[in-house]
């Protein structure tokens, strides 16, 4: 690994070159000679002082310490045009690019990262190396290990805004593996999500027993004059006069109606607006009617 890093660092060493035509245009005792340092696609022009009578040249200096540049690097921050001597730079652990002290991100694991191979946590600003940057699959923002979690099912990261815990086993879940339970108001992982055979809702296993969700198991005859029944009969007129039973979830009201030949299931929001309605004959089952 040390050898690979040394090779990578070698690739990132800037190569200085004196432009020969510039030297030919000289006159006078001392001259400024442009020296172009090149590192990959980036070029940096500095000047050397040349004294033709003595045939002596003063090379450009390190932009950080003013000393001789030696085997110079250009800071890997794309906006920072700085020539750095070996003493004034650190290397990105991933690509080997040289960095000034202002642009080297040092992760809590001790690794240094350049701007392309590290990130600052969107939540706390902490510097993270490539291996310890978690990118939320929902919002694509980057976070440190304290502000994002790996999904307990698929391993993909989710930030604190987009991860939810399973109410049964407590593992963190990415958006893809969260199943909301309106009975408990919590979230179920795929292992603890159960489908109700009565209403078809998916609920947390804690709210499910013998194939039925808690909502269906707690359905009770609606009280006379129940405003939810009046709302259901206005919204689904064909169900008028049915015998109604009702139950509440965290955010909704479930009503089931029964007439001599037909059955109905109506989901209302807490403000009694219609969410969905199902109906059909007792013999052939229900289908969505609203
Ligand atoms: Zn220096
Ligand atoms: Zn820099
Ligand atoms: Zn953080
Ligand atoms: Zn790290
Ligand atoms: Zn997110
Ligand atoms: Zn997942
Ligand atoms: Zn679970
Ligand atoms: Zn149910």
């Amino acid at each position: 690994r040390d050898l690979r890093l040394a090779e990578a660092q070698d690739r990132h060493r800037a190569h200085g070159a004196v432009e020969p035509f510039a030297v030919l245009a000289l006159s006078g005792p001392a001259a400024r000679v442009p020296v172009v340092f090149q590192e990959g696609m980036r070029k940096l022009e500095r000047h050397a002082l040349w004294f033709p009578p003595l045939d002596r040249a003063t090379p450009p200096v390190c932009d950080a310490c003013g000393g001789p540049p030696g085997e110079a690097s250009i800071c890997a921050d794309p906006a920072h045009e700085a020539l750095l001597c070996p003493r004034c730079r650190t290397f990105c652990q991933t690509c080997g690019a040289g960095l000034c002290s202002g642009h080297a991100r040092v992760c809590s694991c001790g690794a240094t990262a350049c701007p392309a191979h590290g990130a600052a946590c969107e939540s706390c600003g902490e510097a993270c190396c490539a291996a310890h940057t978690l990118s939320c699959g929902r919002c694509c923002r980057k976070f440190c290990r304290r502000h994002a979690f790996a999904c307990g099912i698929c391993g993909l990261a989710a930030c604190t805004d987009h991860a939810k815990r399973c109410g049964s086993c407590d593992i963190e879940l990415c958006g893809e593996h969260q199943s909301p339970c309106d009975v408990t108001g919590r979230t179920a992982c795929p292992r603890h999500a159960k489908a109700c055979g009565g209403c078809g809702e998916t609920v947390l296993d804690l709210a499910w027993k013998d194939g039925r969700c808690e909502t269906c198991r707690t359905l009770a005859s609606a009280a006379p004059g129940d405003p939810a029944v009046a709302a259901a009969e206005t919204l689904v007129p064909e169900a008028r006069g049915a015998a109604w039973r009702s139950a509440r979830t965290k955010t909704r009201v479930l009503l089931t109606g029964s007439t001599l030949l037909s059955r109905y299931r109506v989901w209302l929001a807490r403000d009694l607006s219609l969410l969905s309605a199902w109906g059909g004959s007792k013999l052939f089952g229900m289908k969505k009617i609203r």
Side-chain angles (χ1 to χ4, degrees):
R1 185 192 146 80
D2 278 351
L3 188 67
R4 279 232 326 273
L5 202 57
E7 280 169 8
Q9 287 168 3
D10 213 44
R11 263 188 278 119
H12 281 279
R13 208 153 280 156
H15 296 288
V18 177
E19 311 238 306
F21 59 87
V23 181
L24 291 175
L26 291 175
S27 66
R32 278 153 60 83
V33 183
V35 179
V36 178
F37 288 87
Q38 183 158 15
E39 187 175 332
M41 298 294 286
R42 294 183 65 197
K43 281 184 180 174
L44 209 60
E45 193 179 290
R46 288 289 179 271
H47 290 93
L49 283 179
W50 188 41
F51 305 93
L54 301 170
D55 197 21
R56 256 216 338 255
T58 313
V61 293
C62 167
D63 288 328
C65 67
E71 300 231 0
S73 281
I74 301 170
C75 175
D77 186 277
H80 192 199
E81 303 271 275
L83 192 66
L84 304 166
C85 76
R87 277 167 294 122
C88 294
R89 63 164 180 247
T90 47
F91 290 106
C92 169
Q93 241 85 343
T94 308
C95 69
L99 294 153
C100 75
S101 58
H103 290 120
R105 294 197 165 111
V106 183
C107 175
S108 55
C109 73
T112 300
C114 72
H117 293 109
C121 171
E122 294 260 358
S123 202
C124 66
E126 189 182 296
C128 308
C129 71
H132 294 126
T133 300
L134 296 173
S135 178
C136 173
R138 185 60 67 89
C139 64
C140 297
R141 292 180 300 162
K142 294 186 159 91
F143 297 92
C144 73
R145 287 173 283 173
R146 282 180 296 121
H147 291 110
F149 307 102
C151 170
I153 302 298
C154 68
L156 293 180
C159 71
T160 45
D161 288 344
H162 295 119
K164 286 205 161 80
R165 267 168 195 274
C166 172
S168 218
C169 67
D170 248 17
I171 61 171
E172 296 288 350
L173 299 164
C174 74
E176 204 58 26
H177 290 112
Q178 296 167 3
S179 147
C181 168
D182 200 27
V183 175
T184 58
R186 301 172 80 176
T187 301
C189 76
R191 276 193 292 272
H192 295 115
K194 296 281 186 185
C196 171
C199 66
E201 291 271 294
T202 301
V203 298
L204 195 60
D205 65 342
L206 302 176
W208 183 93
K209 207 175 150 198
D210 302 328
R212 301 270 150 166
C213 73
E214 203 168 296
T215 319
C216 290
R217 284 187 285 117
T218 54
L219 279 168
S221 295
D226 185 338
V229 169
E233 293 194 339
T234 308
L235 297 160
V236 188
E238 59 266 50
R240 215 162 267 167
W244 293 99
R245 280 147 63 80
S246 75
R248 278 159 187 261
T249 65
K250 286 272 185 225
T251 66
R252 298 168 300 163
V253 181
L254 172 64
L255 288 154
T256 60
S258 172
T259 62
L260 189 59
L261 296 171
S262 301
R263 286 190 300 162
Y264 297 92
R265 185 166 70 234
V266 180
W267 283 103
L268 302 175
R270 280 298 176 100
D271 67 2
L272 304 185
S273 59
L274 181 71
L275 296 171
S276 66
W278 302 71
S281 82
K282 286 180 174 172
L283 285 177
F284 302 112
M286 290 188 280
K287 61 181 186 356
K288 197 159 190 266
I289 53 172
R290 293 286 189 291

